[in-house]
Amino acid sequence: MTVCIGIKDKKNHCCYVGADSGVSHSSFYTKTITPKVFHPYDRADIVIGCAGSIRMANLLQADETMFEGLPEDEYLSDDKLILDIIQTVIPKIKAHAESLKKEDDGFDLMLAIKDRLYRIQSDCAIYEVEEMEIIGSGCETAYGAMKMANSYDPYDNYKIHIESAISISAKYNYGISLPVTILNT
C-alpha cells in the first residue's frame, strides 16, 4: 500500500514529491527503507514517485538510461517537455511494465521535472498536473488532509503539508506507514 503526494511550488519553481514507507503482502504489511520516491541517477531536477509496484520502482531506479535524451537545461516550450517524455521516457517505462508479472495490480507513477508535475498511469498514459496529484491506496484520505491543510495555511510549507497528510493517511488507511520521504526538484 502506498500514498504518494506531488505538488507544484509555483513560487519557487520546483515540485515536491513525498511517499510513505509501507509495503503490503496479501494480509499483512511491513515498513521499507527502499524508496518509493527518488532522484534517478542523481538528477536533482527529476523526482519519481511510485505506487502499486515496488518492482516498477526498482526497475526505474536502476535504469541509468531512463532519462537520456531529456536535457538538464531549460525547455524552449511547455509542449516540448511532454513530447520529449512521450518519445524517450514512456517507451522505456512501457518496456519495464511488460516485464512485470501479469497478476501484478499495475502501477502509478508521479514524475516531477523541475517545476512540472506529471502522472503516468499503468497503461503509460501521461498527463500534466496543474497543482497537486495524489496516487496510491491512501489517496482519498491524503487528498482531504491536503485540502484541509491548505484552507488553514495556504501551501506555505509544502513539506509539512505532505508529511501531515501522509501521517493522517497512515492513521486511517491499512498499509500506509511512517516515516515519510519527501524530495524536491
Side-chain angles (χ1 to χ4, degrees):
M1 304 301 217
T2 296
V3 66
C4 183
I5 301 171
I7 192 160
K8 287 182 173 183
D9 180 344
K10 294 178 182 179
K11 181 178 171 184
N12 295 306
H13 306 287
C14 67
C15 292
Y16 290 89
V17 181
D20 75 308
S21 302
V23 177
S24 63
H25 310 277
S26 62
S27 63
F28 69 95
Y29 70 96
T30 187
K31 292 182 184 182
T32 182
I33 58 173
T34 301
K36 297 178 185 182
V37 175
F38 52 90
H39 290 286
Y41 276 84
D42 296 323
R43 291 250 339 227
D45 62 327
I46 300 174
V47 176
I48 297 174
C50 191
S53 173
I54 291 293
R55 178 71 181 140
M56 179 57 90
N58 296 152
L59 292 168
L60 296 178
Q61 193 172 18
D63 187 344
E64 61 191 31
T65 69
M66 180 60 72
F67 294 96
E68 283 181 358
L70 282 185
E72 293 186 45
D73 56 350
E74 293 298 317
Y75 290 91
L76 299 175
S77 72
D78 293 349
D79 295 336
K80 176 83 169 104
L81 178 55
I82 195 162
L83 291 175
D84 283 350
I85 293 169
I86 291 168
Q87 293 171 349
T88 63
V89 178
I90 294 296
K92 294 173 186 176
I93 292 172
K94 188 173 184 179
H96 289 309
E98 290 171 356
S99 75
L100 298 175
K101 293 179 182 177
K102 296 294 181 206
E103 62 269 8
D104 190 359
D105 289 337
F107 61 88
D108 256 330
L109 300 175
M110 201 164 299
L111 176 62
I113 301 177
K114 298 183 182 188
D115 61 347
R116 313 290 291 279
L117 184 61
Y118 301 91
R119 180 175 179 177
I120 303 171
Q121 298 171 316
S122 60
D123 66 354
C124 292
I126 181 172
Y127 61 86
E128 186 167 1
V129 175
E130 185 176 340
E131 179 184 342
M132 175 180 69
E133 186 72 18
I134 304 175
I135 59 176
S137 61
C139 66
E140 292 89 357
T141 306
Y143 183 79
M146 288 293 287
K147 287 298 190 179
M148 190 62 151
N150 184 44
S151 70
Y152 285 104
D153 178 22
Y155 294 138
D156 287 338
N157 193 332
Y158 296 101
K159 284 186 170 185
I160 288 174
H161 288 279
I162 291 171
E163 188 164 8
S164 295
I166 294 174
S167 295
I168 290 168
S169 286
K171 184 173 181 177
Y172 294 105
N173 292 265
Y174 172 80
I176 308 295
S177 298
L178 303 177
V180 175
T181 302
I182 303 170
L183 300 175
N184 69 295
T185 57

